[in-house]
Amino acid sequence: MVNAGDISIEGIMAHLEAFQAIADMNGGNRAAQYSGYNASVDYVVSVLESKTNYTVTVQPFNFDITAENTAPSFSQISPTSVSYARYLEFNTLTYTGSGNVEAPAVDGGDGCSPSSFVGFTPGNIALLARGDCDFSVKTDNAVGAGASGVLIYNYEGQGAFSGTLGSTKPIPVFGISYDLGRSFIDGGETPVLAMFSDMSVETVYTSNVIADTTTGRPDRVIVVGSHLDSVPAGPGINDNGSGSATNLELATELYRNNVTTQNKVRFAWWGAEELGLLGSEYYVSQAVESGEINNIAMNLNFDMLGSPNYFRGVYDGEGADIGIRTGCVNIEGLLTNFFDFDNLPWNLTEFTGRSDYGPFIENGIPAGGLFTGAEVIKPNDFRKEYGGLANTAFDPCYHAHCDDIYNIDQEVLISNAKAAYYALTSTAENLALDFWLTNPQSSSKKRYRTHNELPSSAVFTKK
C-alpha cells in the first residue's frame, strides 16, 4: 500500500460543512464578488494559522465585473408571444453587456470561427450551440458579425445555464436550454425574440490565500492549488469546495505528519476562478514579473473531486506542450499509480487549461491533477466501471443552487484526497525533483482516455 497519510473523509467533510454554513449566512453562495467568499478566505486562514506553522499570506487583487441594474428579460415576439422565466428557461452569462433588442434569431452553428457567420445579417440575434470553444470566442465572433444579441443553447438534454464570458461584452448574452434553442432553429419560421439586460461595470476587491511550508528548497516550489470561490447560483460545495477542503486537509496533514519536505510546498486557494481563472492568473503574472516563476517546479490542481455521478479523472499529461509534457505525464503517473495500487478505475481527462493549472502550463510549469466531471452527460459505458446514472450529468447540480453539502460522493472524494496526498508527498520528498520532471518514468500500463469520447466543456477554457 502506498502512503496516503491520515487523510480522513471526516476532516474534509468538516471543512465542507463550514463552507456550507458560510454560504447559508451569506446569501446562499461563496462567489468572489460577494461576502461569502471573504468569509471563506477568513476560514481557510484561521485553519492554517491554528493548525500549521506555515507562512500564510492573503494576496489581494481586483477585477471588473458587470452587475445588474434591473432584472433581465427574454421573450418571443413572433410567430407566437411567449415570456420566458429566468433560471428555468434562460440565464445571463457573467460579463454580459447591456441591450434592449428585438430582432430575428438565426442559427450561427457553434460560433467558433468567423466562417460560422457567413451570410449573417447584422442586427440579428445569433443562436449558437454550446461546446468546441469558449463562450468568449463565440460571443466575440458574433459581435464581429454585427449580432445584436447572443443565445447559447446547452448540450442535448440539458437546461438553461450560466457561465463566464471572461471579459465584458457589448451585447446581451444568455444561456438557454437545448430544447428551446433547437425549437427556434427547427421551428420552420424564423422567430423574432426580445432580449433585455441592463448592466453596469463595478470593481471588485478580493484575494488569494497562499501558505508556504517553512522547510524545503525555495528554488523548487510545488504549488498545490484549488479555487475557493463558487458561482453566485449556489454554495459551490463540489465546485469547488471539494477541492478547497481537500487542499486544506492536505496542508494540515502534511504539517501534522512532520513530512520532510525537500522541496518547498506552497498551498494556494485561488479567487475568482469562476470568472475566468482570475486569481491564478494574477498570481502567475506577479510571479513572472518578480522572477518567482523560475522557482516554481510544478503545480498540482484539484477542482471538483466529489461529483455525485462521478468518473475518476486524471489530467492527461500527453495534452501538454512538448516542453513540459514529460513532467505532466510523470505527475499523471503518480496519481494513476495510486489508483492502481488501490485497484480503483480511472480515466484520463482533457488537459486544456480549463481550470487554474492553465496559467501555469502557459508559462512552462508542468502540472497535473484530478477531476470527477461537471455538466457533461455520463456515457452508458462509464457505468460499467463507476456505476451511477446514465443520461445524467456527472454533476447534475453543476453551477446550480443544489451544489450543496448533499451533492458530494464521499467515496470518490476520499480516494482522490488520498491520491493527492500521495502525489504531494512523493514530489515534496524528492531530492531530484528537477531530474524527475524532465526524464520519462518507465511504465508499461495502458493509458485510458476519456477526452476523445466526452464533449469538451465550454464553461471557460483558457486558450
Side-chain angles (χ1 to χ4, degrees):
M1 177 64 186
V2 296
N3 175 38
D6 297 317
I7 299 293
S8 73
I9 192 63
E10 291 80 13
I12 297 170
M13 292 304 297
H15 298 316
L16 291 179
E17 292 280 2
F19 291 145
Q20 179 69 60
I22 287 169
D24 291 343
M25 292 185 291
N26 289 275
N29 69 74
R30 300 181 304 104
Q33 61 269 47
Y34 300 124
S35 60
Y37 180 77
N38 295 331
S40 299
V41 167
D42 291 343
Y43 174 77
V44 170
V45 170
S46 70
V47 171
L48 291 168
E49 290 184 341
S50 64
K51 293 189 175 183
T52 76
N53 70 342
Y54 300 157
T55 302
V56 180
T57 305
V58 175
Q59 181 187 45
F61 67 97
N62 61 76
F63 59 90
D64 289 340
I65 191 171
T66 51
E68 289 181 10
N69 298 318
T70 54
S73 63
F74 176 45
S75 61
Q76 183 176 169
I77 307 300
S78 67
T80 57
S81 179
V82 183
S83 292
Y84 300 107
R86 189 181 186 184
Y87 304 120
L88 181 64
E89 294 170 300
F90 82 98
N91 209 346
T92 58
L93 273 70
T94 304
Y95 294 114
T96 184
S98 297
N100 189 7
V101 178
E102 291 186 11
V106 297
D107 185 12
D110 63 13
C112 289
S113 71
S115 63
S116 300
F117 296 92
V118 172
F120 184 87
T121 300
N124 282 353
I125 294 169
L127 281 162
L128 306 178
R130 183 177 188 173
D132 297 326
C133 64
D134 65 54
F135 299 143
S136 183
V137 169
K138 296 175 187 291
T139 302
D140 289 347
N141 286 332
V143 169
S148 58
V150 171
L151 295 169
I152 302 174
Y153 61 89
N154 212 342
Y155 299 124
E156 186 172 0
Q158 299 193 44
F161 67 96
S162 185
T164 182
L165 294 165
S167 60
T168 53
K169 303 301 178 186
I171 60 175
V173 184
F174 296 169
I176 61 176
S177 71
Y178 175 87
D179 288 345
L180 186 58
R182 291 309 310 180
S183 74
F184 293 148
I185 294 169
D186 302 330
E189 185 175 343
T190 300
V192 176
L193 305 177
M195 302 174 68
F196 171 77
S197 62
D198 179 18
M199 314 296 292
S200 59
V201 177
E202 298 179 351
T203 299
V204 175
Y205 297 88
T206 189
S207 57
N208 299 317
V209 179
I210 311 294
D212 279 13
T213 59
T214 57
T215 59
R217 285 182 54 166
D219 61 343
R220 286 197 310 219
V221 178
I222 299 165
V223 177
V224 186
S226 55
H227 77 85
L228 186 55
D229 61 314
S230 74
V231 294
I237 299 304
N238 186 37
D239 184 16
N240 180 40
S242 62
S244 289
T246 296
N247 205 11
L248 201 49
E249 181 78 353
L250 297 178
T252 56
E253 283 302 302
L254 190 76
Y255 175 76
R256 194 180 70 83
N257 290 323
N258 198 27
V259 174
T260 303
T261 53
Q262 303 294 339
N263 310 301
K264 182 180 288 292
V265 179
R266 179 167 297 150
F267 296 97
W269 289 263
W270 310 119
E273 186 268 359
E274 297 291 3
L275 297 167
L277 314 184
L278 301 185
S280 56
E281 283 197 336
Y282 179 79
Y283 170 82
V284 171
S285 72
Q286 296 303 294
V288 170
E289 184 176 317
S290 68
E292 176 62 15
I293 195 74
N294 298 315
N295 295 324
I296 299 174
M298 57 176 278
N299 169 236
L300 294 172
N301 186 71
F302 303 118
D303 191 353
M304 299 185 69
L305 303 190
S307 299
N309 197 32
Y310 69 89
F311 79 107
R312 195 173 282 104
V314 180
Y315 296 151
D316 181 3
E318 289 284 358
D321 288 344
I322 187 65
I324 58 171
R325 188 172 300 160
T326 296
C328 295
V329 170
N330 290 346
I331 296 168
E332 166 206 311
L334 282 178
L335 297 164
T336 58
N337 283 342
F338 178 88
F339 294 137
D340 287 343
F341 280 126
D342 260 14
N343 198 30
L344 294 170
W346 53 269
N347 291 81
L348 297 180
T349 191
E350 63 182 5
F351 193 59
T352 56
R354 172 178 174 175
S355 189
D356 287 300
Y357 63 86
F360 289 90
I361 62 174
E362 284 186 354
N363 284 275
I365 306 299
L370 300 168
F371 173 65
T372 57
E375 79 283 10
V376 171
I377 298 296
K378 188 173 195 172
N380 280 319
D381 58 357
F382 272 51
R383 296 180 68 197
K384 298 174 184 176
E385 294 283 4
Y386 302 107
L389 301 174
N391 302 316
T392 301
F394 289 109
D395 182 354
C397 289
Y398 177 68
H399 283 187
H401 66 90
C402 55
D403 186 10
D404 57 22
I405 197 66
Y406 303 106
N407 191 47
I408 291 289
D409 186 289
Q410 295 187 29
E411 180 180 346
V412 73
L413 179 55
I414 189 58
S415 69
N416 279 333
K418 289 181 176 181
Y421 189 79
Y422 170 66
L424 169 59
T425 54
S426 297
T427 51
E429 295 175 317
N430 192 333
L431 286 166
L433 184 61
D434 288 344
F435 180 85
W436 183 84
L437 286 167
T438 53
N439 288 271
Q441 306 301 298
S442 60
S443 175
S444 59
K445 67 189 176 191
K446 184 177 180 181
R447 306 175 76 250
Y448 298 90
R449 286 182 172 76
T450 66
H451 64 279
N452 291 329
E453 303 167 22
L454 298 177
S456 174
S457 169
V459 173
F460 188 86
T461 301
K462 180 65 182 172
K463 296 293 185 181

